[in-house]
Amino acid sequence: MEEQQQNALRKTSTSPFQSKPIRCIVKLGGAAITCKHELETINEKNLDTVSKQLRQVILSCPDSGKVLGMDWSKRPGTSETPSTIDGCCDEFKVDFEKFVVVHGAGSFGHFQASKSGVHKGGLCKSLVKAGFVATRISVTSLNHEIVRALAKEGIPSIGMSPFSCGWLTCERNMEAANVSMIVKALDSGFVPVLHGDAVLDTSQDCTILSGDVIIRYLAEELKPEFVVFLTDVLGVHDRPPTEPGAVLLREIAVDEDGSWSVVKPNVQDASKQVVVTVAAHDTTGGMVTKISEAAMIAKLGIDVYIVKAATEHSRIALSGDLKHNVPDSWLGTIVRPLRQQQ
């Protein structure tokens, strides 16, 4: 019986798309869409710009000037009448590129998780259990606001929490994650919006499943054309970008065994010289995890673009134009399979 269930999981998690394949998986970095030094504060300007850029690449008619806003609820403290569909007709029936959005927590969730030790497990402890609940309240509230921002731009976004979808980890590694509902949502014309989440762990009771790990898993299952990491910095540097002399690594090649090397610029032994820092409250590994997961995605034969959010560089990356032409003026980091360099 157990073997039959495992086979069923594999079949559902690799369900083929009924129509065109997925275009892109986007990671909205927590530090890019929130004010990381202000508890539970959204970077409204960045989120608004990113939402508009996503509309331009997801909708098939981005320059029409008409957007059917999908947030029809009334915001607390406002007297505005909710949006209506009066006058809307078939002109809004447009094709959508298939995108999946995954966002980090930033100033949401990390504080609660680190204070209670949720990432270390142990639900028998009252503090851990309370922290698990508090973390999920925080990250799902952020997910709601991001879905709302995308919906305002006419993007048919649907929030999907890993915990609620039944995703499980074992020793903090993905163990069970059925993506059939994500596939169905995509085929129905929706944009799934997932997030880093507190989840149950079969080894240590619970842990934090990072958005970067989710991205890698989805890339393996859904096989997108490319993946974009939107961050608060220009890309991967050889040391923290705030340090003098920090060099932006423009292109990283990943071998079939997962090892990687810097192609541009020519930095000797760069794979050993790259130094990163992780904020004290970050329970998901920060840039360390990001580089590792990007390399694992590139190993699958998928290009990864790491770029600063809400910039012209991010718009270019989201368009997919970097696959065949990388302008000299473009600033960011491309992580791609070594065989594409040859």
Side-chain angles (χ1 to χ4, degrees):
M1 180 65 69
E2 182 179 351
E3 183 178 351
Q4 290 177 344
Q5 291 176 339
Q6 291 178 347
N7 289 335
L9 173 62
R10 280 193 290 270
K11 288 180 181 179
T12 54
S13 65
T14 57
S15 297
F17 291 109
Q18 295 177 4
S19 55
K20 58 185 178 182
I22 182 173
R23 173 74 165 160
C24 175
I25 299 177
V26 182
K27 167 65 188 300
L28 302 183
I33 55 173
T34 71
C35 302
K36 55 186 177 181
H37 299 302
E38 299 177 35
L39 182 63
E40 296 190 340
T41 303
I42 295 175
N43 186 325
E44 300 284 357
K45 182 179 179 181
N46 274 8
L47 180 56
D48 181 65
T49 301
V50 168
S51 298
K52 284 180 169 56
Q53 289 183 347
L54 285 171
R55 172 173 59 83
Q56 292 172 5
V57 296
I58 292 176
L59 303 187
S60 61
C61 50
D63 298 323
S64 65
K66 297 182 179 180
V67 175
L68 176 57
M70 299 182 183
D71 179 11
W72 299 349
S73 56
K74 180 181 176 181
R75 298 216 58 122
T78 67
S79 58
E80 297 178 2
T81 303
S83 301
T84 66
I85 58 173
D86 293 341
C88 295
C89 56
D90 287 346
E91 64 180 304
F92 289 102
K93 291 183 179 179
V94 296
D95 289 331
F96 294 86
E97 290 288 354
K98 287 186 174 179
F99 273 64
V100 174
V101 175
V102 181
H103 65 82
S107 61
F108 290 72
H110 283 303
F111 170 78
Q112 292 86 344
S114 62
K115 282 293 183 181
S116 59
V118 170
H119 57 296
K120 299 177 182 178
L123 281 175
C124 58
K125 302 175 183 177
S126 58
L127 178 61
V128 174
K129 183 167 291 185
F132 190 97
V133 173
T135 299
R136 296 214 68 250
I137 289 173
S138 187
V139 296
T140 53
S141 67
L142 175 61
N143 179 255
H144 179 81
E145 291 303 318
I146 291 174
V147 168
R148 195 165 190 163
L150 296 174
K152 179 183 175 183
E153 291 297 325
I155 299 172
S157 48
I158 299 292
M160 304 182 76
S161 296
F163 176 86
S164 300
C165 289
W167 289 21
L168 301 173
T169 59
C170 179
E171 296 182 350
R172 305 185 71 178
N173 295 314
M174 195 76 79
E175 181 176 81
N178 193 327
V179 300
S180 60
M181 281 305 299
I182 296 175
V183 172
K184 289 178 181 177
L186 286 164
D187 278 332
S188 298
F190 293 108
V191 176
V193 183
L194 292 84
H195 58 86
D197 202 2
V199 297
L200 299 180
D201 186 282
T202 57
S203 174
Q204 60 180 45
D205 291 339
C206 65
T207 192
I208 298 298
L209 176 61
S210 88
D212 294 330
V213 174
I214 293 172
I215 287 275
R216 193 256 298 170
Y217 183 81
L218 291 179
E220 184 175 356
E221 294 293 311
L222 303 180
K223 305 293 190 299
E225 294 180 28
F226 59 98
V227 171
V228 178
F229 284 83
L230 299 179
T231 72
D232 63 331
V233 293
L234 288 175
V236 179
H237 295 73
D238 63 340
R239 69 199 71 181
T242 54
E243 291 188 6
V247 176
L248 174 65
L249 307 182
R250 303 288 297 273
E251 191 167 337
I252 296 174
V254 180
D255 209 339
E256 293 182 357
D257 62 1
S259 61
W260 56 274
S261 58
V262 178
V263 177
K264 296 178 183 178
N266 185 13
V267 181
Q268 189 176 16
D269 256 353
S271 61
K272 298 180 181 179
Q273 292 180 11
V274 174
V275 179
V276 295
T277 58
V278 180
H281 64 272
D282 193 340
T283 58
T284 61
M287 189 60 76
V288 176
T289 302
K290 197 176 307 296
I291 296 174
S292 174
E293 297 301 331
M296 291 298 291
I297 294 169
K299 184 181 174 182
L300 299 172
I302 302 168
D303 278 9
V304 180
Y305 311 128
I306 303 175
V307 61
K308 188 170 184 177
T311 63
E312 177 63 14
H313 308 295
S314 62
R315 187 198 64 77
I316 293 173
L318 290 169
S319 71
D321 293 342
L322 297 176
K323 183 72 175 179
H324 305 292
N325 178 40
V326 182
D328 292 336
S329 59
W330 186 79
L331 298 178
T333 301
I334 297 178
V335 185
R336 60 177 33 150
L338 179 61
R339 56 182 176 272
Q340 292 189 11
Q341 313 292 329
Q342 300 172 345

